[in-house]
Amino acid sequence: MSNQALRVTCPNCVALIEFPVVSRDNESNNQPFQSGSCAACSHVIDLRVAGNQVPADPHSFANRQRAVTLLQPNESSVESVLFDALQLFRSNWKVLLGVSCLTTLIWFVLVAWPCRKLSDLWTLAQQDATQMLTFVLATFMVVCVGILTTAYTTSVMARMTLAVARYGRGRNQSPVRFAPGSDAMPSRGSLSVPPRVLFHMTLFMLFIAVMMGMLLLVGVAVMIAFMLILPFPRETATLVGTFSVGCVYFVLIFALQWLLWPSVCLIADGRSSFGQSLQQSFALSWIHRRVSLKVVTFYFLLSTIGALLLYVGQAITTPIASLPLAVAYLRMTGGQTALDSTE
């Protein structure tokens, strides 16, 4: 019987370990190894049981998060995340800005421009009641196309930033354009999105649209309540109500971004469905709440600046703001970036 290696998964930290298995002629007292110690967490493994089981996938999201929780590695600082993102942006800015400009153009043509036409149609419908049905149908079509387009452009940007963070030009000057031995991730700059990813991202965007709509309705109801309850003139009550609702609305939107941003990466990465991504996103954001909160704040500020600079500014700030999220996501889920040493 020749020398072999027994490949098992540590039941405590899910590390993948190989134990040498020698022939019976070379074993002392003619007894096989019955136990071994995990090099990652020092857990004693019963090789008689583990050797007969199929090793768990150490790259799955659940197993990675279990290992991260049990081993409790040092959490990446937001400074290291932003620094790595800046280095990756400097080395891959052409493809980042190129794809960002294309997705912004697609979103403008299919979403922003039709919304402007809807405002003109609304003005016409106010003057002519027969145009109201046309306005309602047009609004429904724009909303459907808008959700699908936003899901597509978000998927493209998320998958592109993840591809750059993983396989882009890093310390090694030659970029890897495909994940080694896998078709799961696209080449840098690819505009293709797998149907499954697009489907679950569309569900996620629909969920966000419903949440925003509910918040808007609640805000309007609260403003009307302010106007009716406050003992102020109507103009003053409206101003106070608008300011109060606006502040609460701002905080709620920021909280949703903080808790749900990993969902975009999880879905775009093909790791989770829509429902699973929500649960995993809350867990990730809470476990790594310090880094997550700071990275989301950075994204929120840059996105606001880009929105104020209209679509050109948005095309420039989007990849700069999204790349730290991709790096933070890889750090939080135990993945490697192009800047990590492979030795």
Side-chain angles (χ1 to χ4, degrees):
M1 183 175 179
S2 60
N3 292 355
Q4 299 177 6
L6 177 63
R7 197 179 193 192
V8 300
T9 302
C10 175
N12 184 53
C13 71
V14 207
L16 200 59
I17 311 167
E18 288 186 352
F19 290 98
V21 179
V22 298
S23 62
R24 285 190 174 273
D25 295 336
N26 296 331
E27 293 173 5
S28 60
N29 300 326
N30 204 29
Q31 293 294 326
F33 294 121
Q34 296 184 356
S35 64
S37 179
C38 174
C41 66
S42 301
H43 180 76
V44 178
I45 305 173
D46 188 347
L47 298 182
R48 294 170 300 178
V49 177
N52 297 324
Q53 297 177 348
V54 178
D57 180 12
H59 301 291
S60 70
F61 176 84
N63 289 337
R64 277 186 179 274
Q65 284 306 110
R66 182 184 173 194
V68 168
T69 303
L70 291 171
L71 296 179
Q72 296 181 347
N74 294 328
E75 187 177 23
S76 299
S77 65
V78 67
E79 291 79 10
S80 66
V81 170
L82 294 178
F83 181 75
D84 288 349
L86 177 61
Q87 282 189 295
L88 289 168
F89 181 79
R90 290 176 59 185
S91 302
N92 303 272
W93 65 271
K94 292 182 180 179
V95 64
L96 286 166
L97 290 180
V99 173
S100 180
C101 290
L102 284 175
T103 53
T104 301
L105 179 61
I106 293 172
W107 193 87
F108 174 80
V109 172
L110 297 179
V111 180
W113 184 76
C115 286
R116 290 186 178 183
K117 293 300 181 182
L118 272 181
S119 63
D120 298 337
L121 187 58
W122 169 247
T123 303
L124 182 61
Q126 288 180 313
Q127 300 173 355
D128 185 2
T130 58
Q131 298 295 324
M132 186 59 67
L133 179 60
T134 304
F135 171 77
V136 173
L137 294 177
T139 301
F140 177 77
M141 292 180 60
V142 169
V143 169
C144 292
V145 174
I147 291 175
L148 185 60
T149 303
T150 303
Y152 170 75
T153 55
T154 302
S155 299
V156 170
M157 283 300 303
R159 288 171 60 81
M160 187 267 296
T161 52
L162 285 173
V164 167
R166 279 191 176 119
Y167 314 114
R169 189 184 298 276
R171 286 183 182 141
N172 298 323
Q173 292 302 310
S174 57
V176 180
R177 300 189 65 83
F178 290 91
S182 173
D183 295 328
M185 288 300 299
S187 63
R188 299 175 311 127
S190 174
L191 297 178
S192 62
V193 177
R196 180 180 181 275
V197 171
L198 184 59
F199 172 74
H200 289 289
M201 190 68 76
T202 302
L203 292 180
F204 177 74
M205 291 301 167
L206 182 60
F207 169 76
I208 295 298
V210 171
M211 290 289 293
M212 298 296 289
M214 292 176 60
L215 289 176
L216 183 60
L217 291 177
V218 172
V220 172
V222 172
M223 287 177 59
I224 295 175
F226 269 104
M227 294 172 58
L228 297 176
I229 296 175
L230 291 179
F232 298 131
R234 184 175 181 179
E235 293 77 8
T236 305
T238 303
L239 181 61
V240 173
T242 303
F243 178 77
S244 302
V245 172
C247 291
V248 175
Y249 201 69
F250 176 85
V251 173
L252 290 176
I253 291 176
F254 183 82
L256 285 176
Q257 283 194 330
W258 170 45
L259 294 173
L260 295 179
W261 74 264
S263 293
V264 174
C265 295
L266 288 166
I267 295 174
D269 208 13
R271 286 189 174 186
S272 304
S273 63
F274 160 66
Q276 294 172 338
S277 70
L278 296 181
Q279 180 181 1
Q280 294 168 359
S281 178
F282 276 93
L284 277 174
S285 295
W286 183 249
I287 293 174
H288 306 273
R289 50 190 172 274
R290 293 182 180 178
V291 171
S292 180
L293 183 61
K294 293 178 181 179
V295 172
V296 168
T297 302
F298 178 79
Y299 174 84
F300 191 83
L301 292 176
L302 274 186
S303 299
T304 303
I305 294 174
L308 294 176
L309 297 176
L310 301 180
Y311 299 103
V312 176
Q314 186 176 354
I316 296 175
T317 58
T318 296
I320 302 176
S322 300
L323 200 52
L325 296 180
V327 175
Y329 163 77
L330 293 178
R331 293 279 187 260
M332 290 159 58
T333 56
Q336 287 187 322
T337 70
L339 299 175
D340 295 332
S341 175
T342 57
E343 296 180 359

